[in-house]
Amino acid sequence: MITTTTPLEARIAAAPRDFRVLTGDRPTGPLHLGHYFGTLRNRVELQRRGVDMFVIVADYQVLTDRDVADRLGETVDGLVLDYLAAGLDPDRATIFAHSAVPALNQLLLPFLSLVTVPELQRNPTVKDEILHSRQSSVSGLMFTYPVHQAADILFCGGNLVPVGQDQLPHIEVTRTVARRFNERYGPVFAIPEGLLSNAPLLAGTDGRKMSKSRGNAIALSATPDETARLVRSATTDADRHITYDPERRPGVSGLVQLAALCLGRDPHDVAAEVGGAGAAALKRMVTDAVNEFLAPMRERRAAYAKDPDFVRSVLRAGNARANTIADQTLRKVREAMGTVY
Ligand code: TRP
């Protein structure tokens, strides 16, 4: 959660309305508890405080590491449903899709002229993604998407980007692009700041980081039965006595942490309460805690899912708003560059 321990957090607490957040996700599949405790919860809290919230469905960015994205439309609808279920309010947050905002995408061209190829090649997050990519060779989009992401942030004057550690290099690219543009053509862009999430890394049901591709994730939209099945299959260890020791007992501790987060309790207390009752008791506790915690979100999601027109109307309204702002920004960019004819 957001605390007020850093100067930036204190500034947000003092003047939330000075901030415009731009954040978002690649529509690659259902959001899970790792996303919830990592970022969604923060977004809802920032929204509650009155920060202006822009959430991008990064449907072009999906194509960085695959040739085609299967059933993208469905995945996008699912992502919007997950947002609404988690508590993003379409009356307060602007939820929109990359591909629906032409002027945003056009910013990519002048922005690309502001970075060098070695800079693109040095990006540690991109390097890591290339390493894990399922493609035999790397696409141009893979190298340039951090600059595209700069356009996502800068088109709407986003000055606050809540991110995980892996996104920090991209924030640096964005700041570099904004600074260089301003130096070359005059002051157009605010220099955004990254708000590093202090959420703990959430372990999945195998003790490793929760992630869809590892099959260890509990989706927000999973049914209670699916949740029970996933938790039952979780990796534990031979020591019957339950303790919280993430270093030495990643499996058991991941489960303890999950229950603790859902119950809003300290993980050591949760472990002590289960104690000698063993892994089966821990798993029952986790299942109940997760299902109870997610019940209101799942209910909201099911209600919205009955109304696909509403989901699309949320996206259309967000796209319209994003387009208005992107057109204005592109106009300013072209004026600064002397290319309004
Ligand atoms: N890169 C982010 C992800 O992989 C998604 C994203 C696209 C994003 N554009 C952004 C995040 C701008 C923050 C700001 O999930």
Side-chain angles (χ1 to χ4, degrees), residues 22-26 56 58 61 98 145 149 152-153 161-163 167 170:
L22 181 292
T23 176
D25 301 275
R26 298 178 199 198
I56 189 165
Q61 215 182 83
H98 244 165
Y145 90 80
Q149 198 159 314
D152 298 344
I153 296 168
V161 190
V163 285
Q167 297 289 305
H170 302 348

Side-chain angles (χ1 to χ4, degrees), residues 1 25 30-43 82 86 163-164 166 197-205 208-212 214 216-221 230 254 257-258 261-262 290 293-294 297:
M1 289 303 271
D25 301 275
L31 297 183
H32 51 68
L33 281 172
H35 295 116
Y36 185 79
F37 290 114
T39 69
L40 290 174
R41 184 166 72 161
N42 252 335
R43 293 181 199 171
D82 284 339
V163 285
D166 66 315
S197 160
N198 56 7
L201 253 196
L202 193 70
T205 50
R208 297 182 303 159
K209 180 185 169 192
M210 190 179 280
S211 127
K212 191 178 69 84
R214 295 200 172 116
N216 65 359
I218 300 175
L220 303 181
S221 55
L230 254 170
Q257 182 201 27
L258 207 50
L261 280 168
C262 290
V290 169
F293 181 76
L294 289 179
M297 277 186 242

Side-chain angles (χ1 to χ4, degrees), residues 66 71 127 154:
R66 62 201 82 189
R71 295 191 295 183
K127 276 194 197 163
L154 297 177

Side-chain angles (χ1 to χ4, degrees), residues 110-111 113-115 119 150-151 153-154 158 168-194 336:
F111 285 2
S113 76
L114 299 167
V115 292
E119 280 171 336
I153 296 168
L154 297 177
L168 282 181
H170 302 348
I171 305 290
E172 264 332 296
V173 172
T174 302
R175 292 164 63 87
T176 301
V177 165
R179 244 186 254 117
R180 287 182 189 163
F181 187 96
N182 292 349
E183 276 161 21
R184 202 168 291 182
Y185 300 108
V188 171
F189 294 112
I191 312 293
E193 295 178 87

